[in-house]
Amino acid sequence: YYSNLFYLTGTRLAPKEKLDIPVLFMPDTMKMYEAVVVIHVMKENGENWPYEDSAELNKDLKSSVTVAENGGIQGILWIYPVHGIPEAPQQKLVPAVVRCPAKQRAERRVEALLSGVVPGATAMPAARNSATVNINNPANVQEVQVTDGFSTTVEFLYELQYQSNEFKSQLESLVGMDLVHREWDTESGIVKLIFNIVFAPNKPMRNKATLVVWCTTGGVWKFPMLFIATEPEVDDVINIEAVGLNKESIVGFKLTSQTR
């Protein structure tokens, strides 16, 4: 969990000096936690910063300063929202291999087991409002309906992540992924998601990827994958029949390019 407050009373900072503030995150459940780190700075000599229109401070500035009785600014606040998103331990999982000869199409079912999902969980509220967590805007959103004495809807988001933008450009148009089955085992508390992976490579390759699953109440699970495209089968056999010794024989065939 997040410690609610770190007290650094009396910490002196020289001009342009840097201050490192340690934040420890030790989640005990797979749900998102929120907190804020608040820095309050005052002058060492106790003087205030002058501000002529302190009575008419705008709303945004009022939340960032503390005003003294004489109208000056006594302290300045910096407020940093912190989001803690638990990630499942990285076990030594065997990658799910999707293998296919180039210029063909293969389908495979991939099973993802999510442990530690908390039904009906909500994020731990922060002391102040904070920005929404950005999780790279995954394109696929699916819901899992859970029934365990009551009806609870848990929403999952998933996507394939690649080693680099170069690999992403190679694989993104060649791989399709759909969630075809979802199941909650109420005894073990494990959510099972089964994906149908379609791989249609156009040339031999060997690329790694990671199936990443988020739960909107918090929690991230990662599963390694490996896409292998082997050498394509022979398209055809060309027979050239000789018309005689020391004479040329010619045979014609068409090649069609899939791109410009």
Side-chain angles (χ1 to χ4, degrees):
Y1 57 88
Y2 280 105
S3 294
N4 293 330
L5 187 61
F6 288 99
Y7 289 97
L8 298 174
T9 305
T11 301
R12 180 185 299 174
L13 287 179
K16 297 185 178 181
E17 185 179 355
K18 293 182 179 180
L19 173 65
D20 293 328
I21 300 176
V23 178
L24 177 65
F25 182 42
M26 298 175 61
D28 55 1
T29 56
M30 293 294 284
K31 62 181 180 181
M32 187 173 73
Y33 296 79
E34 298 181 53
V36 290
V37 176
V38 181
I39 313 299
H40 189 202
V41 174
M42 296 178 291
K43 286 190 175 182
E44 186 178 13
N45 58 12
E47 296 180 358
N48 300 329
W49 286 277
Y51 193 83
E52 295 179 359
D53 300 323
S54 58
E56 300 180 2
L57 289 173
N58 61 56
K59 184 178 179 181
D60 293 336
L61 191 56
K62 280 184 178 180
S63 63
S64 302
V65 299
T66 53
V67 181
E69 294 181 358
N70 61 6
I73 295 178
Q74 184 179 19
I76 302 175
L77 292 171
W78 283 269
I79 302 171
Y80 298 92
V82 182
H83 292 249
I85 303 177
E87 182 173 322
Q90 291 294 307
Q91 301 173 353
K92 294 182 179 180
L93 299 176
V94 177
V97 180
V98 183
R99 188 189 303 269
C100 179
K103 298 191 289 186
Q104 293 189 28
R105 181 178 182 274
E107 291 190 26
R108 180 179 170 181
R109 296 291 177 95
V110 174
E111 184 178 281
L113 299 179
L114 315 182
S115 59
V117 180
V118 181
T122 56
M124 296 295 290
R128 296 175 181 263
N129 292 333
S130 53
T132 303
V133 178
N134 179 7
I135 51 178
N136 300 324
N137 298 321
N140 303 299
V141 178
Q142 296 290 340
E143 290 186 352
V144 176
Q145 189 69 32
V146 183
T147 304
D148 184 12
F150 55 91
S151 179
T152 303
T153 299
V154 180
E155 192 177 75
F156 291 94
L157 302 93
Y158 61 87
E159 73 170 354
L160 275 176
Q161 292 182 354
Y162 304 97
Q163 292 178 294
S164 65
N165 289 331
E166 181 183 355
F167 289 140
K168 181 178 179 180
S169 63
Q170 292 178 8
L171 277 176
E172 197 169 32
S173 61
L174 309 177
V175 177
M177 181 174 63
D178 291 304
L179 179 61
V180 295
H181 180 73
R182 48 226 175 199
E183 178 182 324
W184 189 302
D185 187 335
T186 55
E187 292 185 3
S188 65
I190 295 177
V191 175
K192 179 167 66 176
L193 304 180
I194 298 180
F195 298 90
N196 187 56
I197 308 292
V198 178
F199 184 35
N202 54 9
K203 61 181 179 180
M205 64 177 67
R206 183 187 181 93
N207 288 334
K208 295 179 180 179
T210 303
L211 171 59
V212 184
V213 181
W214 292 269
C215 183
T216 53
T217 59
V220 181
W221 295 262
K222 296 181 179 181
F223 305 92
M225 297 193 64
L226 178 61
F227 292 91
I228 301 175
T230 56
E231 291 290 336
E233 296 181 0
V234 174
D235 293 302
D236 201 355
V237 177
I238 299 171
N239 293 316
I240 303 178
E241 188 173 328
V243 297
L245 293 175
N246 299 319
K247 293 184 179 180
E248 292 182 352
S249 295
I250 299 175
V251 62
F253 56 93
K254 293 182 179 181
L255 296 178
T256 304
S257 175
Q258 296 182 356
T259 66
R260 291 183 178 274

